[in-house]
Amino acid sequence: MAESRSRLYQGNEACVEGAIAAGMRFFAGYPITPSTEIAELCSVRLPQVGGTFIQMEDEIASMAAVCGASLAGLKAMTATSGPGFSLKQENIGFAAEAEIPCVIVNVQRVGPSTGMPTSPAQGDLMQARWGRHGDQEIVALSPAYVEEVYSLTVEAFNISEELRTPVILLMDEVVGHLREKVTLPKPGDLVIKDRKKPAPGSRYLPYAPGEGEDGDIPPLGVFGDGFRFHVTGLTHGPEGFPTNSPNVGEPQIKRINSKISSRREKLCKAEELFTEEADVLVVSFGCSARSAKKAVKDLRAMGVKVGLLRLITVWPFPEHLIQRIAARQLKAVVVPEMNLGQLAREVRRCLDGRAPVIGVNRVAGKLIEPADIIRAVQEVR
Amino acid sequence: MGSDLTRYLRVEKLPHIWCAGCGHGIVTQAIVRAIDELGLDPVKVTIVSGIGCSSRAPGYMNFDTLHTTHGRAIAFATGVKLARPELKVIVITGDGDAAAIGGNHLIHAARRNIDLTVICYNNTVYGMTSGQYSPVTPLGSFASTAPYGMVERPFDLCELVMGAGGTFVARSTTYHARHLTNVIKQAIQHKGFSFVDAFSQCPTYFGRRNNMRDALAMLNWYKENAVSRDDWAKIPPTQRGSKFPIGVFKDEEAPEYCESYRKVIEKAMKEGDAK
Amino acid sequence: MRKEFRLAGAGGQGLISASIILAEAIASRTDLHVAQTQSYGPESRGGSSRGDVIISDSQVDYPEVTKPQYLLVMTQEACSTYAKGLAPGGVLIADSTYVKEIPPVDGTVKSYPISERAREMGREIVANMIGLGILAGFTGVVSPEVLEEAVMERLPKSTWDLNRKALRHGFEVGMQMAGRGEVVTERARAQRPGLGELEK
């Protein structure tokens, strides 16, 4: 009915609409601020498209149900925030190990612990990467704009299906609760990827790498389709059965890592502003990047040679982008983030001493202001 | 009788990891025999388990099988069942898995009356980690973490599930293998949440610490102490001692969750069309 | 061009809802960019309530309102809290039903008995629509038709008539406050509204 496809969306709402457009047909969740609107909207919208919503008894159970539904063939998602993200780690690790596609939304709020439930933070950057035991690469995308929430939710599903892996959508309270104008892509313009399925009737080895491009990602059967395969969180061989053999186990663990790390350049999306003519680089993500963008524009207007690298993919870490920009002489790299230096630490690692890294940090719920960043850049000598 | 049950097993994965004298093979056999006798299509059966000795069973069973994290089997199974309600979803769990770390999932699945069949291989002990007490270890008995005797009061899992709203609840033991098979058949056929408390001996970590040196001693203990539900009701509570009831304790009809949710979908889609 | 609106009052006065309707109208019926935020949690309990809208001709970067050019206050408490944050040269519109004292501000102050008028129209609950209408009429940022369409998308049908009436009334009051003439109602203007007061 509307002539235009532009509409006001809340970030959490855009996430749900993006997920449904991507093909999500199962959501299991547990109420937690500031992600609750995602569960509420899924309870309305999913049955309208023939999908299933369930409010589970706890965060752990909702992540478990998501894994189960995905193995039974549905694109599945859960959403949570800090304390719930901690609880979900167990079964995110299971999904990584058992290579189950699914999307986990974390609308970050102030921590540690219960923290400040209605206030924004970005303190789960490292938890997204390292929150589980054992070695596993993870993909995490971090939107800064409501329109980007929509497109990145679609992207999160696409990556999870293509790489058979859990993908984290690392939102924050600002972008989750903010309402902005969103212009939806026309249905035909949206690229939707589905998981590779095994050929019917073949002997199915659910964890056996194959030949050719993307051969490192085995197809995934659907429970009930006749493959009668085994899925376990134990270290397993190509058939999916547990092994204690280092010779069998090591390639499996390495493969779930390399399937992501080897695609770093393809996976890493970022927005760059004036990076090719910058003496000072600002690196940021999510809500802080909006302040950073404003600061960089204002500084440019004042004649300061500053550039912005806004990370959209935060994991795997875009080392190559930072190193490319840092190949020119930078006086400093300024990293605004709503934590005590998690991104700065990673940037410092990539720079390996080539330029000083200066943090602009806030942790108690007040969004970093452009003036904070302008000041930090102006102080660089 | 005499049907070849090996077609339901991944024979090439045998021998199993269980100790000599363990009851878990008997329960596993009862499940596949029940599936066989019911004539279920093995392609439409999914078996989900958690962590522990019991939860290794699905690895040997030739169905779609999902060996999950500790305590979470019922929650994973809920996702499988909701995604494909036409599947028969059977959960294999242990007493530690189902009643301690997974207790929350057990009571809530029972409350929802979702059509899952949960078979608890109940050996009253954590076998995989070599003999710590569980939430069902009897008062006074010994475990590696109850060296002075168990002082926590145990759950009666059947009472727990009935209290939480499960609509089919039964108990049997590995000594009563035929009876066990029959109650599992009933449980699988039941529409709604069904729970079978399958007593299964652990001579290695429970029996030896509690004056039952081997499997035979434990099976004899089941034989001597199990009484039918009706007989149990006739024994005055003060004289029950170590006796326990077996049989079907509850078999009721109530709205099943997947069906209820299917109606939600129909309603939402109809309202969506109306707009 | 970046203009900030703040609508502040007590919980139940519908100011968050009004801010969403304003933002919705801008988002779906104009070429402008818009960002809406509001008070949440403990801030929104304890009685106070706030809806913020930023309108811009380019993408909104920093998403929070810092110094609103347009401030609608519908309780004394909201006025006392937010008046000092008005941008220099900004416009403060007070509901004189509840706001009795306005601290000195570097800008224009306008008063109107918004809640009282809503009561007379039938229900005080539509005071938010009068307030929203005043903001729109004063600034010319959106036409009443566009706001009405947003009302119809966001609010239940049973409330449409009264809400529309309230909006129209507010719009006329706002036009008069800004010293402008007749309400422009052509559809063409609804499709592509100029920036009105915002262009200054």
Side-chain angles (χ1 to χ4, degrees):
Chain A
M1 45 134 236
E3 316 85 82
S4 158
R5 303 249 310 151
S6 294
R7 224 201 79 188
L8 190 72
Y9 279 92
Q10 194 184 43
N12 285 341
E13 185 186 7
C15 175
V16 174
E17 292 304 326
I20 287 174
M24 172 188 67
R25 289 299 178 268
F26 185 88
F27 179 95
Y30 187 81
I32 184 166
T33 306
S35 78
T36 306
E37 292 89 356
I38 296 177
E40 288 174 339
L41 280 164
C42 283
S43 76
V44 176
R45 292 285 286 120
L46 270 173
Q48 289 174 350
V49 295
T52 297
F53 163 88
I54 186 166
Q55 181 172 313
M56 292 297 284
E57 55 274 13
D58 59 35
E59 297 277 4
I60 299 168
S62 44
M63 190 59 222
V66 159
C67 291
S70 181
L71 287 169
L74 298 187
K75 290 187 185 178
M77 181 172 96
T78 186
T80 189
S81 183
F85 194 51
S86 294
L87 289 166
K88 287 195 197 296
Q89 296 296 333
E90 173 190 62
N91 289 328
I92 298 173
F94 184 89
E97 168 67 7
E99 300 184 71
I100 303 170
C102 54
V103 173
I104 302 98
V105 183
N106 175 10
V107 187
Q108 295 170 94
R109 69 189 218 189
V110 175
S113 193
T114 312
M116 297 162 87
T118 54
S119 298
Q122 298 177 297
D124 305 348
L125 178 66
M126 283 296 166
Q127 192 187 13
R129 175 64 188 87
W130 302 106
R132 302 151 299 279
H133 55 281
D135 283 301
Q136 82 238 222
E137 287 274 348
I138 197 92
V139 179
L141 311 177
S142 191
Y145 298 89
V146 173
E147 193 161 277
E148 198 171 66
V149 172
Y150 184 92
S151 60
L152 285 190
T153 306
V154 174
E155 186 68 21
F157 272 98
N158 285 348
I159 294 169
S160 79
E161 292 286 317
E162 279 198 303
L163 300 191
R164 245 188 96 172
T165 191
V167 173
I168 294 166
L169 188 72
L170 198 62
M171 291 173 51
D172 52 60
E173 191 274 341
V174 170
V175 79
H177 276 164
L178 185 65
R179 287 185 180 85
E180 282 187 295
K181 178 182 200 159
V182 174
T183 306
L184 294 183
K186 293 191 196 82
D189 291 350
L190 213 54
V191 178
I192 305 295
K193 306 273 177 66
D194 294 313
R195 65 190 72 171
K196 212 165 35 173
K197 286 187 180 168
S202 61
R203 179 162 179 257
Y204 175 44
L205 299 175
Y207 297 91
E211 299 297 316
E213 200 189 346
D214 296 337
D216 55 337
I217 297 151
L220 180 58
V222 175
F223 280 176
D225 276 2
F227 295 104
R228 294 161 84 171
F229 63 108
H230 188 59
V231 174
T232 178
L234 287 164
T235 304
H236 42 268
E239 305 168 296
F241 292 97
T243 180
N244 282 318
S245 157
N247 294 335
V248 179
E250 193 151 305
Q252 181 256 321
I253 298 170
K254 283 185 169 170
R255 187 175 54 74
I256 64 167
N257 282 274
S258 67
K259 72 177 179 182
I260 293 167
S261 59
S262 68
R263 289 173 175 81
R264 183 184 308 275
E265 296 196 8
K266 187 180 161 213
L267 289 169
C268 284
K269 289 193 167 172
E271 179 186 3
E272 293 187 41
L273 215 57
F274 314 115
T275 49
E276 297 307 321
E277 36 176 315
D279 293 338
V280 177
L281 178 68
V282 178
V283 182
S284 193
F285 71 112
C287 63
S288 300
R290 298 180 69 125
S291 307
K293 201 168 176 180
K294 173 82 170 97
V296 166
K297 285 179 183 171
D298 288 357
L299 283 161
R300 295 294 303 194
M302 292 181 236
V304 180
K305 293 187 87 179
V306 59
L308 172 71
L309 175 66
R310 176 173 74 88
L311 306 185
I312 296 170
T313 305
V314 288
W315 303 114
F317 198 72
E319 292 161 15
H320 57 290
L321 292 179
I322 291 173
Q323 282 160 357
R324 192 205 79 222
I325 298 165
R328 53 177 287 139
Q329 277 293 319
L330 290 173
K331 282 189 198 157
V333 177
V334 174
V335 183
E337 53 184 325
M338 292 195 71
N339 61 54
L340 289 179
Q342 298 184 21
L343 177 61
R345 183 187 171 97
E346 200 66 2
V347 170
R348 207 169 275 127
R349 180 181 66 78
C350 296
L351 290 172
D352 200 19
R354 265 173 289 174
V357 175
I358 299 155
V360 178
N361 312 93
R362 281 192 183 185
V363 289
K366 181 94 182 78
L367 189 56
I368 294 172
E369 286 171 27
D372 301 335
I373 301 163
I374 290 170
R375 211 174 306 119
V377 172
Q378 283 172 333
E379 280 168 11
V380 172
R381 281 290 166 262
Chain B
M1 294 299 279
S3 175
D4 179 14
L5 297 180
T6 57
R7 63 202 169 101
Y8 300 106
L9 299 175
R10 291 167 173 147
V11 178
E12 72 282 7
K13 295 295 158 197
L14 298 171
H16 55 66
I17 63 154
W18 298 317
C19 305
C22 174
H24 288 4
I26 299 173
V27 188
T28 305
Q29 192 208 60
I31 295 172
V32 292
R33 194 178 293 284
I35 290 170
D36 181 61
E37 289 178 11
L38 290 170
L40 301 183
D41 176 0
V43 165
K44 297 297 172 195
V45 174
T46 296
I47 302 185
V48 185
S49 67
I51 292 293
C53 295
S54 63
S55 294
R56 290 302 190 93
Y60 311 119
M61 300 168 81
N62 194 13
F63 305 90
D64 286 316
T65 49
L66 173 56
H67 175 223
T68 72
T69 45
H70 197 18
R72 318 301 172 208
I74 292 172
F76 277 79
T78 297
V80 173
K81 180 71 186 178
L82 280 170
R84 281 195 99 160
E86 74 273 23
L87 299 180
K88 278 281 176 202
V89 181
I90 298 170
V91 174
I92 291 176
T93 180
D95 44 299
D97 199 50
I101 192 165
N104 202 29
H105 314 309
L106 175 68
I107 59 172
H108 287 280
R111 174 180 61 81
R112 284 185 197 107
N113 197 35
I114 185 167
D115 188 22
L116 301 175
T117 297
V118 176
I119 317 284
C120 180
Y121 291 37
N122 184 349
N123 58 9
T124 70
V125 77
Y126 285 83
M128 187 66 91
T129 48
S130 61
Q132 298 75 32
Y133 68 79
S134 89
V136 297
T137 304
L139 262 177
S141 53
F142 294 91
S144 74
T145 47
Y148 305 104
M150 179 70 169
V151 290
E152 290 185 20
R153 297 188 307 160
F155 269 142
D156 178 323
L157 294 182
C158 291
E159 294 287 350
L160 178 70
V161 174
M162 285 191 281
T167 46
F168 181 94
V169 177
R171 178 183 290 127
S172 191
T173 85
T174 47
Y175 175 80
H176 306 83
R178 184 64 240 177
H179 178 260
L180 176 62
T181 306
N182 287 342
V183 297
I184 291 173
K185 279 168 76 174
Q186 282 178 266
I188 292 172
Q189 283 178 297
H190 177 77
K191 186 97 191 150
F193 188 81
S194 55
F195 180 80
V196 176
D197 189 10
F199 280 16
S200 173
Q201 75 278 6
C202 177
T204 305
Y205 291 115
F206 187 79
R208 279 194 288 196
R209 281 198 177 90
N210 291 284
N211 295 321
M212 291 178 280
R213 298 184 62 84
D214 54 21
L216 195 62
M218 296 198 73
L219 286 167
N220 272 322
W221 190 86
Y222 289 159
K223 178 188 172 190
E224 283 155 17
N225 287 287
V227 293
S228 75
R229 193 190 66 169
D230 293 343
D231 288 348
W232 169 258
K234 290 175 200 152
I235 312 173
T238 51
Q239 290 170 32
R240 282 172 178 166
S242 58
K243 296 224 180 302
F244 61 89
I246 61 170
V248 176
F249 305 132
K250 186 175 178 182
D251 185 0
E252 286 177 8
E253 277 189 31
E256 191 277 323
Y257 183 76
C258 297
E259 292 211 337
S260 301
Y261 196 80
R262 190 173 49 78
K263 289 176 191 152
V264 170
I265 294 175
E266 283 167 10
K267 190 175 175 194
M269 291 183 94
K270 201 185 285 171
E271 284 176 11
D273 287 346
K275 274 181 189 166
Chain C
M1 187 282 293
R2 173 183 165 121
K3 295 287 173 186
E4 300 184 350
F5 292 73
R6 170 160 287 166
L7 293 72
Q13 282 184 314
L15 290 164
I16 288 175
S17 183
S19 73
I20 293 171
I21 286 164
L22 174 61
E24 169 79 59
I26 305 277
S28 56
R29 300 287 189 278
T30 79
D31 292 334
L32 297 170
H33 291 261
V34 62
Q36 183 273 347
T37 54
Q38 66 199 51
S39 50
Y40 271 103
E43 204 191 350
S44 66
R45 302 194 177 110
S48 74
S49 173
R50 196 193 71 232
D52 289 346
V53 178
I54 300 167
I55 296 172
S56 173
D57 53 7
S58 59
Q59 189 174 48
V60 176
D61 293 324
Y62 185 68
E64 295 197 347
V65 163
T66 46
K67 286 244 166 210
Q69 280 85 9
Y70 300 98
L71 173 63
L72 170 69
V73 285
M74 294 199 15
T75 61
Q76 183 61 51
E77 190 195 345
C79 182
S80 308
T81 306
Y82 295 115
K84 57 185 175 290
L86 188 72
V91 180
L92 184 154
I93 296 163
D95 178 358
S96 56
T97 317
Y98 298 112
V99 179
K100 302 299 177 194
E101 266 186 53
I102 301 171
V105 294
D106 177 11
T108 310
V109 174
K110 302 280 180 190
S111 278
Y112 187 75
I114 297 173
S115 295
E116 197 183 313
R117 189 72 194 88
R119 236 177 282 146
E120 287 162 15
M121 290 175 91
R123 294 187 65 199
E124 188 169 340
I125 192 82
V126 298
N128 64 340
M129 289 299 122
I130 301 181
L132 177 58
I134 294 175
L135 280 177
F138 195 97
T139 59
V141 67
V142 278
S143 69
E145 290 90 346
V146 163
L147 282 176
E148 281 171 18
E149 284 171 14
V151 163
M152 290 189 281
E153 271 172 38
R154 291 272 169 180
L155 301 181
K157 199 170 182 174
S158 59
T159 70
W160 287 358
D161 280 349
L162 191 56
N163 275 313
R164 271 190 290 213
K165 207 173 130 195
L167 260 179
R168 290 269 167 176
H169 176 72
F171 199 85
E172 277 166 30
V173 172
M175 293 277 291
Q176 280 160 17
M177 281 179 180
R180 276 186 279 135
E182 292 298 298
V183 179
V184 182
T185 55
E186 316 87 78
R187 186 74 193 171
R189 186 168 157 78
Q191 291 299 320
R192 286 272 183 281
L195 298 180
E197 165 76 8
L198 297 185
E199 283 166 332
K200 289 176 196 165

